[in-house]
Amino acid sequence: MSDISALSTEPSFLDEVIDATSGGDRLRSCLQCGTCGGSCPNGSDMDHTPRALFALIAAGEREEVLSADAPWFCVSCYACTVRCPRKIPITDLMYTLKRIAAREHFAKKQDAVALAENFNRFILRYGRSFEFGIASRFYLTRKLGSIFSLGPLGIRMMRHGRLSLTPSKIENLAQLHAILDKARELGGES
Amino acid sequence: MTFAYYPGCSLEASSEAYDISARAVCERLGIELQEIPDWNCCGATEASALGYLSGHALVARNLALVDKSLKDVVAPCASCFLNLKKTDKLMKEDRKIGGKLAEALEAGGLAYEPGSLRIRHLLEVVHRDIGHDRIQQAVVRPLTGLRIAPYYGCQVVRPVGDSGDADDPEQPQAMDELFSWLGATVVDYPVKAHCCGGHMTQISTEMSNELLRRLLYTADEHQADIIVCACPMCQLNLDAYQGKVNNAFNTAFDVPILFFSQLLGLALGIEADALGFGKEIIDSKDVLAAKLDQEETAETPSAPRRTRRVSRSLPMPKKD
Amino acid sequence: MSEPVFEPRIVGFFCNWCSYRAADLAGSARLKHAPNMRIIRVMCSGRVDIEFILKALAGGADGVLVAGCHPGECHYVEQNYKTIRRVAMLKHALKPLGIDPNRVRLQWASAAEGPQVAAAIDEFVDELRELGPLNWTGQWAGRGEECREAVDKIAAEHKEAMEVMP
Amino acid sequence: MAEKVGVYICHCGSNIGGVVDCPEVAKWARENLEDVVVSRDYKFMCSALGQDLIKDDIAKEGLTRVVVGACSPHLHEKTFRNASKAGGLNPYLMQMTNLREHVSWVTADKAAATGKSKSLISGAVHRVVHQEALAPMPVPVNDHTLVVGAGIAGIQAALEIADAGYHVYLLEREPSIGGHMAKFDKTFPTLDCSACILAPKMSDIDQHENIELLTYSELESLSGYVGNFKANIRKRPRMVVEPDCTGCGLCIEKCPKRVVDTEFEAGIGYRKAIYRPFPQAVPKIPVIDVENCTYFVRGKCKACEKFCPTGAVDFKQVEEVREVDVGNVILATGWKPFDARRVSQYGYGRMANVFTSLEFERMCNSAGPTDGKIVMRDGVTEPKSVAIVHCVGSRDENYNPYCSGVCCMAALKFGHLVLEKTDAEVTSFYIDLRTNQKGYEEFYARLLDEGMNFVRGKVAEITDAARYPGEEGKIILQAEDTLLGRQRRHPVDMVILMGALEPRDDSKELGIKVGVSCSMDGWFTERHPKLDPVATMTDGIFVAGSCQGPKDIPASVAQGAAAAARVVGMINRKSVMVEPVVASINDEKCSGCRICNTLCPYGAITFDVQKSLSGIETALCKGCGTCVSGCPANAISGAHFSNAQIEAELDGILFEIQQGAATGEGAPLAEKGGRHE
């Protein structure tokens, strides 16, 4: 079906991705040179390199792209974006793919999603991130196994006064929420 | 000169040392920092992974909260710095989204004029605005004898929404120059702008360990005494996870990781405790004590790439 | 769709070398676009006299598009830079004349940029739809009295200045 | 008296007729437009029969003007001008309007298309009655030619013209002719020795009776017009008196000062402060590099002067400017190499064993700094492994968007040389291999057979940061092997960067001097990319070789010869006709305000101080009309594009618009003008 969708005049997956990314239309000019795949610090561990993802997007392979782990392994180092000979905002496109995948629950198995969700939950509650909370909650919910290996580190961090156990909270949380709610409404974010 | 100051969450907690030293150094160099009132998290690399507009709105609030009489915001954290820059650029260049973000801010009774603020990183401010002469005048305790690996990481140097005069995103020079002004020996650290893995330490230790190993390995190859950072995430990862890396690859890396502002402060004669020393997990006291003032011995092996010049050797391309 | 849309009337002055050929290319490539544009061929956008543009607006056009080679690519070396200046100055003068400056548009197009020209025309048509009909002369219809009064007033004010010294 | 206009609407088969109601348009024109006496529509106006319609009507109906609504004038204006001429009408009394490219092919809605056609025809009819009979003007052609740039393209052009028996001034900025080709060792795909094929041509130049060689010289300014140019040439001082110098080379031998040669040796070799770029240089006369000469820097030495057997050295020599008259000019100023330092992730200038393609060319050249040995920067060690990186500064919007065309083949050549001269293995990292000329693809096949490795993927970065065992002390290329979809690290001893070809820094400047425009990239713009590739928009100025766009040797030679043929053609004709589309000034109206003087890029407008009037040198005028629209007194009129003509066309178009408004049927206005459906 995917090839059909690529050929039909319906807005393709490519259009969908481009519309969801500021400056995303540069993606049409991709020449598949692989600069992104070669530049990516995690390139060797991704199931598809960014370049391959772009080819799959153009081919309309929606499911395969959205279930890929590559976007979640993007560390936002922007090496690809700076080097791309076609000036494609690759990092931003990875964010777009993350958002679509998360929205449509393609990425439940990704730890990165949980981390992001966690992080944002704390931001909503305090207006600031709370490393200890995020880390502990994250490990409790996702990586129970490895939490013990992390214990000593946590303790060392605490000993060096680098782990505050009390979150700091902004005063005008209501204002922040008002802004974020409006943004979500305007951006059609669930 | 007065700057709006955006410390960001990490500097409140895990990277307090950066905050303390940044404030101390700025005070010594005559930079007045005005913390943005009631600033909120910039969302790091996480917020925009879930919400596009909301992710940027989070950042926009901070820009809107800046005292309108100020022209520059300075952020010591790489991620904060980049996010502020990106949102400002987006609002300026993408009218549609800019309008929506303005509307969102309005819902909170705030407003921001895109492009009205210059978003600066602390390193750039020290290197450019203060500059060579004033730094050298201010040095009271040169870092002679100390071999420094300047580590920039990613987000400080990637020119997202920058004007052309930004530092080289691949081989940045700001920290190299700064520390040569301070009398340290700066090693030509080829991975200076490579990635430390950022949040990968939380997601896949295997992958993050490898990324960190590369940085430590090269620093070791170049006999660096210390790696200096301009980003809390870089410092935390290299410092806190160095042990894990050693376990994973049974290596014996033992390189202290400091913030550039801490060493700069030391050179400016500020007391170590006033610079957050001791908060680093790999202790730096001994190295500093041992190396500082030990004039570099002639036969310090230099980077392996340097080809020994034979009479027949071909000239290297001229600089610049 | 029955509800009638306002169809702006547009006059275009296209230079012979780049933009006219770009419009030709849009044709060869069968790039359908709004038919509201009437193209007049001139040798260079530098040939476009500001009077032509005003005449077009006065004569019933809702918008005027001046198209030329990209700056630096002018077939007459640098004449389109003069066009930039003239159009900029004109736009400045339009407001006081009660005309939205956006009714005059400057468009660069290399001979290879057929798609860009087609898109620009559609875009311009949409902008002019927003602005609505110009009907410039209409605006003055039946206001002759006002004008005469205004003129007389000025004349009175500058009476002595207007007297010719013997 | 009223003009008699004939209107002819072409169906172009169904191209126009399928969308535009041609009979209706013809009918409308007859009934609504003044002066129209005949109005016909026909299947193919450009056919012989179609043209006959026009001729016959001119005869029978006594037409004084003709309007043709068909395809683009760029296609058939000549055709219908000739038809009118054949019918006994001045060709400039025919006006063509474009109902195909600008109407039927781009409009979906038929009513809209028909309405639009009416207004264009109306415009043409209103215009044509104001058109005037014009005749092309003849001007004489000087049979001397100036060739700017003595690389292979300029050399070829100069020889062709000289052999045809005409005098050539061959201008070269460097101390010797030969250009980049003189630096190369082998040429692809035949691998014949560059010097062996170039040197003979160079000495031909040296000895040719019809060629006057002006080296170490640059074009200061050019004035005049086709057939009659005046060129000012600035000759820099060699500090060596040319007639006295025998080229023995003793001075070079004795000069104590060694300088890195960044020009000819691309920075990997040395020369003296008094030097000759290479042994076979033409002319043989050396030059003193005053920036580095000990005498000029410190005021003492003069070794060269002491040892010169003929006393040819003259430290007091100064630059000279001379003026030459020529009928035509050929620009063959070539290209400059991309500065690989700009791609800092490739580490050129930081890592010793990263080389540029030009450095490597010199290294391979048996007359080069390494006597043709392929060695690393230390000058002795032979590499065990070499990587060749394509598209460095090409096909990259951060540097140059265009493809430099020659690098793929040069890379294959390098691969061959490495395999031939060393035991090293060679790997090429490419995006696309472009081998689209005679014998090129075969050469690629040959390199595959010879065992050159290919990885499809643009190199992301080149580093000396070892990561895995076996990488220590090597240069590592990191790239995605896009055919495997896998990231790859490739440690080697030596890297060659295939740098882009870029326009000369001063090409825009030169373009303005001679009235030739440059593309956005800075290459000279030819008159027509396909049908007129060596002529320019300025008559009498031609382009050849890489100054018009990246080219390899065969293409440059072909263009040199082509430009020469065009010049010889011009000379043989003795005189040329220039289009009568020019401006003229009405002295009655000219107030002498001189506003127009500054508007003309060709210096065609002169000011007569006595009369305090501006005047136009007709042969210099290119007819852009900028002065016409600039004159506050309407004193300037542009032939064939007068205010009256253009404003009449505007009236005609507006006439249809107002009519349309009146009848409510005005063209697109009813339905939503068909958009991209």
Side-chain angles (χ1 to χ4, degrees):
Chain A
M1 91 123 254
S2 47
D3 2 0
I4 298 166
S5 75
L7 297 174
S8 73
T9 57
E10 301 295 300
S12 63
F13 183 37
L14 178 62
D15 300 324
E16 179 187 354
V17 172
I18 286 174
D19 292 345
T21 317
S22 180
D25 54 347
R26 301 288 307 151
L27 181 53
R28 296 189 199 279
S29 66
C30 173
L31 49 71
Q32 289 286 307
C33 68
T35 302
C36 43
S39 301
C40 185
N42 290 335
S44 43
D45 297 297
M46 293 175 164
D47 49 7
H48 299 296
T49 62
R51 175 202 57 83
L53 279 181
F54 297 153
L56 288 164
I57 290 171
E61 298 289 350
R62 199 168 189 280
E63 288 74 8
E64 187 168 356
V65 171
L66 292 180
S67 26
D69 62 18
W72 299 102
F73 287 172
C74 170
V75 288
S76 308
C77 77
Y78 292 87
C80 51
T81 306
V82 172
R83 292 175 184 168
C84 175
R86 286 293 189 256
K87 297 196 166 167
I88 302 170
I90 297 167
T91 310
D92 298 353
L93 285 163
M94 290 300 147
Y95 276 117
T96 301
L97 294 178
K98 289 188 228 183
R99 283 193 297 270
I100 302 176
R103 192 175 61 224
E104 304 189 9
H105 310 297
F106 272 95
K108 269 292 156 240
K109 69 172 197 305
Q110 300 295 346
D111 289 331
V113 190
L115 178 65
E117 283 168 347
N118 242 305
F119 192 96
N120 293 337
R121 199 171 289 114
F122 274 91
I123 294 179
L124 282 189
R125 192 174 316 152
Y126 300 109
R128 295 193 184 165
S129 92
F130 172 35
E131 288 155 346
F132 178 68
I134 292 167
S136 45
R137 190 175 196 293
F138 176 62
Y139 278 90
L140 283 168
T141 49
R142 301 287 301 191
K143 301 190 147 194
L144 213 38
S146 51
I147 190 161
F148 303 105
S149 71
L150 212 73
L153 173 56
I155 294 166
R156 244 181 298 132
M157 301 243 328
M158 231 175 298
R159 192 163 359 93
H160 288 78
R162 300 188 61 168
L163 212 48
S164 67
L165 299 175
T166 52
S168 84
K169 188 170 180 178
I170 69 172
E171 282 146 27
N172 201 341
L173 205 53
Q175 178 189 55
L176 178 62
H177 286 169
I179 293 172
L180 293 182
D181 295 343
K182 189 65 178 175
R184 269 195 223 84
E185 174 201 323
L186 293 169
E189 300 164 20
S190 43
Chain B
M1 50 184 95
T2 312
F3 292 77
Y5 182 56
Y6 181 68
C9 307
S10 318
L11 275 73
E12 277 197 325
S14 56
S15 304
E16 219 181 332
Y18 198 7
D19 186 51
I20 299 169
S21 53
R23 292 177 190 270
V25 163
C26 287
E27 193 191 350
R28 180 62 59 96
L29 293 171
I31 304 171
E32 194 197 321
L33 297 179
Q34 226 180 76
E35 184 164 342
I36 299 175
D38 200 41
W39 56 268
N40 58 266
C41 175
C42 74
T45 53
E46 308 308 323
S48 359
L50 299 181
Y52 185 57
L53 223 50
S54 51
H56 284 291
L58 200 59
V59 184
R61 177 172 179 269
N62 297 310
L63 293 168
L65 287 173
V66 173
D67 178 339
K68 297 281 183 271
S69 70
L70 298 177
K71 287 272 142 287
D72 306 63
V73 190
V74 58
C77 167
S79 194
C80 300
F81 167 64
L82 187 85
N83 282 334
L84 291 171
K85 255 198 317 185
K86 279 190 76 176
T87 302
D88 180 48
K89 179 175 184 244
L90 187 68
M91 289 182 78
K92 198 160 65 225
E93 287 174 6
D94 192 323
R95 278 239 225 71
K96 208 161 95 271
I97 295 175
K100 288 182 179 175
L101 284 173
E103 201 177 332
L105 285 176
E106 216 179 311
L110 293 177
Y112 171 66
E113 172 59 38
S116 62
L117 284 170
R118 282 166 70 214
I119 319 292
R120 317 283 305 277
H121 187 273
L122 180 63
L123 176 61
E124 186 207 349
V125 170
V126 172
H127 175 255
R128 286 253 175 90
D129 300 26
I130 304 299
H132 170 270
D133 300 356
R134 288 173 58 189
I135 297 273
Q136 276 205 328
Q137 285 159 15
V139 173
V140 300
R141 196 184 183 318
L143 304 177
T144 350
L146 200 60
R147 284 183 68 84
I148 300 259
Y151 178 56
Y152 300 76
C154 326
Q155 304 193 326
V156 182
V157 290
R158 302 289 189 256
V160 180
D162 263 353
S163 51
D165 67 343
D167 203 349
D168 184 329
E170 302 283 352
Q171 290 292 323
Q173 293 305 321
M175 244 197 285
D176 297 54
E177 289 175 10
L178 176 60
F179 279 97
S180 61
W181 299 343
L182 301 179
T185 309
V186 182
V187 303
D188 181 0
Y189 189 46
V191 294
K192 54 165 84 161
H194 282 199
C195 180
C196 73
H199 67 191
M200 291 312 286
T201 43
Q202 307 297 308
I203 294 162
S204 157
T205 11
E206 298 71 30
M207 287 165 71
S208 62
N209 283 344
E210 167 59 17
L211 294 181
L212 294 167
R213 182 192 71 84
R214 297 170 187 173
L215 300 173
L216 295 164
Y217 176 83
T218 310
D220 191 55
E221 258 207 327
H222 289 255
Q223 286 94 17
D225 302 322
I226 288 181
I227 300 177
V228 282
C229 299
C231 165
M233 185 65 105
C234 298
Q235 197 280 342
L236 182 66
N237 286 347
L238 281 166
D239 190 13
Y241 291 82
Q242 200 169 130
K244 291 181 136 311
V245 172
N246 284 331
N247 299 341
F249 300 93
N250 61 64
T251 44
F253 297 123
D254 186 25
V255 200
I257 317 294
L258 293 173
F259 293 104
F260 80 96
S261 47
Q262 291 179 284
L263 277 181
L264 171 58
L266 219 52
L268 298 177
I270 304 169
E271 281 316 306
D273 348 353
L275 292 165
F277 276 92
K279 284 182 177 292
E280 69 276 12
I281 288 162
I282 312 269
D283 184 69
S284 66
K285 243 192 270 78
D286 306 350
V287 182
L288 290 172
K291 293 289 174 157
L292 278 181
D293 300 338
Q294 310 295 312
E295 278 310 326
E296 206 180 353
T297 45
E299 69 280 356
T300 339
S302 58
R305 64 182 176 76
R306 306 219 181 289
T307 46
R308 194 162 261 59
R309 274 300 179 80
V310 186
S311 58
R312 314 251 312 267
S313 74
L314 310 170
M316 272 294 279
K318 283 215 224 70
K319 286 273 161 279
D320 97 88
Chain C
M1 47 179 285
S2 53
E3 137 269 355
V5 236
F6 161 59
E7 288 294 345
R9 307 122 191 277
I10 308 172
V11 174
F13 294 95
F14 280 51
C15 88
N16 179 56
W17 303 108
C18 296
S19 41
Y20 191 91
R21 287 165 200 260
D24 281 0
L25 180 62
S28 331
R30 310 296 199 278
L31 298 171
K32 300 272 177 291
H33 55 265
N36 310 49
M37 169 68 68
R38 307 282 188 269
I39 294 177
I40 294 176
R41 179 164 68 126
V42 289
M43 291 308 278
C44 176
S45 59
R47 175 64 183 94
V48 179
D49 193 322
I50 293 311
E51 287 176 29
F52 298 165
I53 301 176
L54 291 170
K55 209 158 177 293
L57 294 173
D62 300 294
V64 175
L65 187 145
V66 178
C69 313
H70 282 278
E73 291 196 345
C74 180
H75 276 262
Y76 299 100
V77 188
E78 56 182 24
Q79 301 305 63
N80 50 6
Y81 289 108
K82 285 127 192 172
T83 315
I84 298 178
R85 294 206 291 268
R86 289 172 181 173
V87 173
M89 271 153 44
L90 172 68
K91 280 167 162 284
H92 197 71
L94 283 178
K95 245 198 170 56
L97 293 173
I99 298 177
D100 187 315
N102 293 328
R103 288 187 184 273
V104 177
R105 177 180 175 133
L106 194 51
Q107 180 68 39
W108 305 129
S110 80
E113 292 177 337
Q116 287 80 340
V117 165
I121 291 175
D122 281 345
E123 201 180 294
F124 194 34
V125 169
D126 291 338
E127 286 173 22
L128 290 171
R129 280 218 183 85
E130 294 285 313
L131 292 172
L134 171 57
N135 182 24
W136 192 24
T137 41
Q139 293 171 17
W140 298 100
R143 295 176 59 186
E145 209 28 59
E146 268 175 69
C147 301
R148 198 167 307 105
E149 281 162 16
V151 175
D152 294 344
K153 191 153 166 295
I154 297 167
E157 278 169 12
H158 300 278
K159 211 162 183 316
E160 50 293 310
M162 290 166 100
E163 281 165 6
V164 183
M165 291 297 157
Chain D
M1 64 122 206
E3 300 294 349
K4 292 181 163 184
V5 182
V7 175
Y8 301 86
I9 313 295
C10 179
H11 291 240
C12 192
S14 62
N15 279 309
I16 298 173
V19 183
V20 175
D21 182 345
C22 298
E24 161 62 18
V25 175
K27 179 163 158 293
W28 180 87
R30 201 179 311 115
E31 293 168 355
N32 296 275
L33 301 177
E34 276 178 46
D35 305 326
V36 175
V37 294
V38 187
S39 180
R40 311 179 186 278
D41 61 296
Y42 186 73
K43 271 269 166 249
F44 290 103
M45 281 308 300
C46 59
S47 68
L49 290 171
Q51 296 187 46
D52 289 342
L53 281 178
I54 299 177
K55 293 181 208 161
D56 299 347
D57 287 345
I58 294 174
K60 287 208 206 68
E61 311 287 337
L63 298 183
T64 61
R65 297 287 189 277
V66 171
V67 166
V68 181
C71 53
S72 169
H74 287 298
L75 239 75
H76 274 310
E77 190 170 53
K78 263 202 167 51
T79 313
F80 295 112
R81 276 186 177 173
N82 292 337
S84 311
K85 191 156 178 241
L89 199 62
N90 180 289
Y92 293 89
L93 297 178
M94 188 283 307
Q95 175 67 8
M96 206 179 162
T97 189
N98 188 342
L99 303 185
R100 193 178 71 177
E101 284 82 351
H102 290 193
V103 182
S104 64
W105 276 353
V106 295
T107 314
D109 178 75
K110 296 190 175 186
T114 306
K116 185 174 180 180
S117 304
K118 287 176 184 174
S119 80
L120 293 180
I121 290 295
S122 166
V125 170
H126 280 70
R127 185 193 205 278
V128 79
V129 299
H130 292 273
Q131 281 171 213
E132 290 158 0
L134 299 169
M137 308 163 298
V139 297
V141 177
N142 179 312
D143 67 357
H144 287 31
T145 306
L146 175 68
V147 177
V148 185
I152 185 58
I155 287 175
Q156 185 68 28
L159 286 174
E160 300 272 359
I161 297 169
D163 289 343
Y166 299 113
H167 188 86
V168 177
Y169 300 99
L170 180 55
L171 196 61
E172 171 56 52
R173 173 187 295 178
E174 297 300 320
S176 167
I177 64 171
H180 291 294
M181 186 177 172
K183 305 172 185 172
F184 302 163
D185 177 41
K186 297 256 187 301
T187 57
F188 60 76
T190 48
L191 295 174
D192 35 15
C193 139
S194 188
C196 314
I197 54 179
L198 181 62
K201 281 182 178 291
M202 286 170 62
S203 45
D204 288 356
I205 294 275
D206 203 15
Q207 278 132 36
H208 208 297
E209 56 187 10
N210 289 337
I211 296 178
E212 192 171 339
L213 190 51
L214 307 166
T215 52
Y216 218 45
S217 308
E218 296 187 49
L219 182 64
E220 174 83 355
S221 67
L222 186 80
S223 60
Y225 52 90
V226 55
N228 306 270
F229 293 105
K230 275 192 188 315
N232 277 306
I233 291 158
R234 181 176 298 277
K235 190 177 196 325
R236 286 151 63 203
R238 281 176 178 266
M239 304 302 169
V240 174
V241 183
E242 303 197 11
D244 301 356
C245 174
T246 61
C248 69
L250 197 57
C251 51
I252 301 174
E253 208 176 293
K254 299 297 182 185
C255 175
K257 174 77 176 187
R258 203 172 71 138
V259 185
V260 174
D261 182 353
T262 52
E263 256 315 310
F264 191 79
E265 295 294 3
I268 62 164
Y270 298 87
R271 60 163 168 78
K272 294 296 187 67
I274 183 166
Y275 71 103
R276 173 193 299 153
F278 53 104
Q280 314 89 320
V282 169
K284 286 196 282 323
I285 298 112
V287 297
I288 294 181
D289 156 14
V290 296
E291 263 87 65
N292 292 294
C293 168
T294 319
Y295 171 71
F296 279 95
V297 175
R298 289 217 204 73
K300 59 168 87 75
C301 176
K302 295 193 169 188
C304 45
E305 191 183 36
K306 283 192 207 76
F307 288 94
C308 178
T310 62
V313 176
D314 170 12
F315 295 108
K316 300 212 171 37
Q317 214 177 45
V318 291
E319 70 176 13
E320 339 165 344
V321 177
R322 69 178 281 198
E323 184 181 81
V324 297
D325 293 338
V326 295
N328 297 279
V329 179
I330 296 176
L331 301 178
T333 49
W335 56 278
K336 85 161 205 288
F338 174 77
D339 176 5
R341 278 182 211 77
R342 292 172 60 197
V343 192
S344 45
Q345 64 266 38
Y346 286 175
Y348 177 71
R350 196 183 143 266
M351 288 176 275
N353 290 308
V354 178
F355 291 85
T356 63
S357 38
L358 224 46
E359 284 178 319
F360 192 74
E361 285 282 4
R362 288 311 296 156
M363 191 186 289
C364 294
N365 191 308
S366 39
T370 64
D371 311 327
K373 283 194 217 58
I374 295 176
V375 290
M376 313 222 280
R377 192 74 64 171
D378 66 7
V380 283
T381 322
E382 191 177 275
K384 299 253 169 310
S385 49
V386 177
I388 303 179
V389 180
H390 290 238
C391 301
V392 179
S394 306
R395 302 185 68 193
D396 187 333
E397 291 177 13
N398 301 297
Y399 310 102
N400 300 300
Y402 55 81
C403 168
S404 291
V406 303
C407 336
C408 281
M409 284 304 291
L412 293 172
K413 178 183 76 181
F414 289 167
H416 170 82
L417 291 172
V418 172
L419 293 167
E420 181 186 68
K421 294 179 175 217
T422 73
D423 303 328
E425 58 149 62
V426 197
T427 310
S428 136
F429 291 80
Y430 68 97
I431 307 175
D432 301 290
L433 273 175
R434 297 182 167 175
T435 58
N436 61 340
Q437 296 295 320
K438 187 177 171 192
Y440 289 10
E441 182 64 13
E442 293 83 338
F443 191 63
Y444 172 29
R446 171 177 171 182
L447 263 296
L448 285 165
D449 296 341
E450 290 181 6
M452 184 172 178
N453 309 318
F454 294 89
V455 175
R456 189 198 178 278
K458 185 173 164 76
V459 171
E461 68 177 284
I462 303 174
T463 177
D464 52 4
R467 185 182 291 176
Y468 306 114
E471 293 186 345
E472 290 85 356
K474 299 262 182 194
I475 305 174
I476 304 102
L477 294 88
Q478 190 169 307
E480 176 183 358
D481 185 326
T482 58
L483 300 181
L484 302 181
R486 216 179 292 137
Q487 196 179 78
R488 206 160 140 174
R489 281 172 70 84
H490 186 78
V492 295
D493 295 331
M494 179 192 257
V495 174
I496 307 167
L497 303 177
M498 304 306 298
L501 275 58
E502 286 188 335
R504 294 275 180 193
D505 297 323
D506 55 357
S507 60
K508 281 208 164 62
E509 201 183 312
L510 177 61
I512 290 177
K513 273 183 199 164
V514 303
V516 172
S517 57
C518 290
S519 71
M520 269 155 157
D521 300 320
W523 306 109
F524 291 134
T525 315
E526 63 285 347
R527 183 180 278 267
H528 189 288
K530 295 176 201 63
L531 304 178
D532 209 348
V534 294
T536 67
M537 285 311 302
T538 305
D539 299 320
I541 311 266
F542 301 87
V543 288
S546 291
C547 61
Q548 176 260 357
K551 262 172 217 61
D552 58 13
I553 294 167
S556 304
V557 170
Q559 270 205 340
R566 293 293 299 274
V567 168
V568 170
M570 291 272 271
I571 297 171
N572 288 346
R573 258 186 275 132
K574 303 268 185 301
S575 76
V576 286
M577 290 293 180
V578 296
E579 263 282 299
V581 178
V582 291
S584 57
I585 297 181
N586 176 342
D587 291 356
E588 306 305 304
K589 291 187 181 172
C590 177
S591 67
C593 71
R594 304 194 65 169
I595 287 176
C596 56
N597 297 193
T598 59
L599 290 175
C600 183
Y602 305 100
I605 306 180
T606 53
F607 186 70
D608 180 332
V609 187
Q610 275 71 31
K611 299 212 202 78
S612 126
L613 290 175
S614 294
I616 290 176
E617 178 77 68
T618 314
L620 275 180
C621 174
K622 302 281 177 296
C624 69
T626 307
C627 56
V628 182
S629 46
C631 176
N634 284 333
I636 311 181
S637 109
H640 209 54
F641 286 89
S642 68
N643 286 352
Q645 288 159 8
I646 296 174
E647 287 176 5
E649 185 170 1
L650 182 57
D651 290 336
I653 284 170
L654 296 172
F655 167 76
E656 182 276 336
I657 285 181
Q658 287 143 355
Q659 233 216 3
T663 62
E665 156 260 64
L669 309 175
E671 302 88 293
K672 189 160 179 331
R675 210 53 86 80
H676 314 285
E677 64 269 285

